[in-house]
Amino acid sequence: MAAVTLRKRRRPGEAVIRGLLFVAAALSILTTVGIVFELGKEALLFFRTEEASVAEFLSSTQWQPAILDFGIWPLVLATLISSVTAMIVALPVGLATAIYLSEYATPRVRALVKPVLEVLAGIPTVVYGYFALTFMTPLLRSILGVSVVEIFNTASAGIVVGILIIPLVSSMSEDALHAVPVSLREASYGVGATKLETSLRVVLPAALSGITAAFVVSISRAIGETMVVAIAAGAGPKNFNFGEDSLFGYILNPFVAGETMTGHIVRISGGDLSYASIDYNSIFAIGLALFVITLTLNVFSRRFVARFREVYE
């Protein structure tokens, strides 16, 4: 009988796999660092020019590069309006879909609905853009009136962006709901709770941290969406003045045209710009602002998730 040894044997295959995993993790970190470095470097060139300043960039409500007005707020406002509209559509529908698939759907129905959601997620965003322009906008104009809804508007773009990210919300939320132990459901049924009460008062709060993470990822996805808003929202910044323009009649009106941050980047970068021009450098300043917004959302979401996260054994 061969002697039993407890010495750890060297396995070259495991070392190779560990090295490959380390390289993959390092590449992702280095890619992020490279993106931040390029954004910061080019944005710094923009802010160092005589025509632009950080104070004007963060305070002005006029974005008109032709006359050297570089106020980010018209682009930020259009981005927020379209993103909020998308969230109003996507979050309740996606969460309701996730609750249905996790708590009510039979395996046969789940096997049918899940592929349909995946197909919805796989449609190119440019198709969604023309869907917003040729279907959603005429629908809104027929309901609310031609004089109320402009041909290019942030409402139709936001609604379609919401439809676009429903699969993301429902998939991630369903994963969070499915991770809740069955014992919690059985305990709830044992004290006489109905299926609806169990779903909303037991399972949903227990999966709150995962659902929050799903919401934040979806919001970031809506903020960063490009083609839908570039096609359907409009091709010019919605400049405004607080003293002259009404708040809800124009500034926060989702039924008028407005150019988002990503839409403006697409339109400007697709033109014939010189790499040394201030217009070109302004693209990176907008990209840096967009990066800061999404980073802030993720930082707050991580703190929220860490505070309310439940670990089940």
Side-chain angles (χ1 to χ4, degrees):
M1 181 176 180
V4 178
T5 178
L6 299 179
R7 182 183 300 175
K8 185 177 181 180
R9 293 189 303 171
R10 293 182 178 180
R11 296 182 179 181
E14 290 187 0
V16 172
I17 293 174
R18 190 182 301 112
L20 291 176
L21 293 176
F22 174 78
V23 170
L27 283 176
S28 63
I29 295 174
L30 291 175
T31 300
T32 304
V33 171
I35 292 173
V36 175
F37 174 76
E38 282 298 321
L39 283 176
K41 183 185 70 173
E42 298 294 336
L44 186 60
L45 294 176
F46 170 75
F47 290 121
R48 281 182 173 178
T49 59
E50 296 180 357
E51 296 84 358
S53 65
V54 177
E56 180 190 5
F57 186 77
L58 297 177
S59 61
S60 176
T61 59
Q62 302 290 320
W63 183 276
Q64 295 176 298
I67 59 175
L68 303 178
D69 281 340
F70 296 100
I72 192 64
W73 282 107
L75 303 179
V76 171
L77 188 66
T79 301
L80 292 179
I81 292 175
S82 63
S83 300
V84 169
T85 304
M87 290 303 101
I88 292 174
V89 174
L91 297 189
V93 175
L95 183 57
T97 303
I99 293 174
Y100 172 75
L101 291 176
S102 176
E103 306 299 318
Y104 290 91
T106 62
R108 183 176 180 180
V109 173
R110 189 181 296 110
L112 177 64
V113 174
K114 290 282 284 186
V116 173
L117 290 175
E118 293 174 358
V119 170
L120 191 65
I123 298 175
T125 56
V126 66
V127 176
Y128 279 106
Y130 283 106
F131 173 75
L133 183 63
T134 60
F135 177 81
M136 189 57 63
T137 296
L139 179 63
L140 292 177
R141 287 165 68 89
S142 65
I143 295 174
L144 300 176
V146 176
S147 60
V148 175
V149 182
E150 296 182 359
I151 295 177
F152 296 99
N153 62 88
T154 53
S156 61
I159 292 172
V160 174
V161 170
I163 296 173
L164 186 152
I165 62 177
I166 284 175
L168 180 61
V169 178
S170 61
S171 178
M172 295 185 65
S173 298
E174 188 202 0
D175 291 340
L177 294 170
H178 190 71
V180 176
V182 179
S183 59
L184 290 181
R185 298 176 174 85
E186 293 175 346
S188 178
Y189 296 144
V191 297
T194 64
K195 198 172 188 64
L196 180 61
E197 291 173 336
T198 301
S199 300
L200 298 182
R201 297 186 179 183
V202 177
V203 179
L204 191 63
L208 181 61
S209 61
I211 293 173
T212 301
F215 283 3
V216 172
V217 171
S218 303
I219 293 171
S220 300
R221 176 70 176 86
I223 292 174
E225 173 53 38
T226 303
M227 292 310 301
V228 175
V229 294
I231 293 172
K238 185 170 67 174
N239 297 316
F240 60 91
N241 292 308
F242 285 112
E244 300 175 3
D245 299 311
S246 59
L247 185 61
F248 294 100
Y250 179 74
I251 298 176
L252 297 179
N253 186 357
F255 302 114
V256 299
E259 191 170 51
T260 64
M261 301 168 75
T262 54
H264 182 77
I265 292 174
V266 168
R267 181 171 66 87
I268 295 299
S269 61
D272 190 13
L273 290 179
S274 171
Y275 287 154
S277 66
I278 189 173
D279 289 356
Y280 176 78
N281 291 331
S282 69
I283 295 175
F284 293 91
I286 298 171
L288 183 61
L290 191 62
F291 176 81
V292 170
I293 291 173
T294 54
L295 178 63
T296 303
L297 283 173
N298 281 275
V299 168
F300 279 107
S301 71
R302 287 184 65 86
R303 291 186 177 181
F304 184 87
V305 170
R307 181 177 180 181
F308 294 98
R309 185 178 183 180
E310 297 286 349
V311 178
Y312 302 101
E313 299 180 356

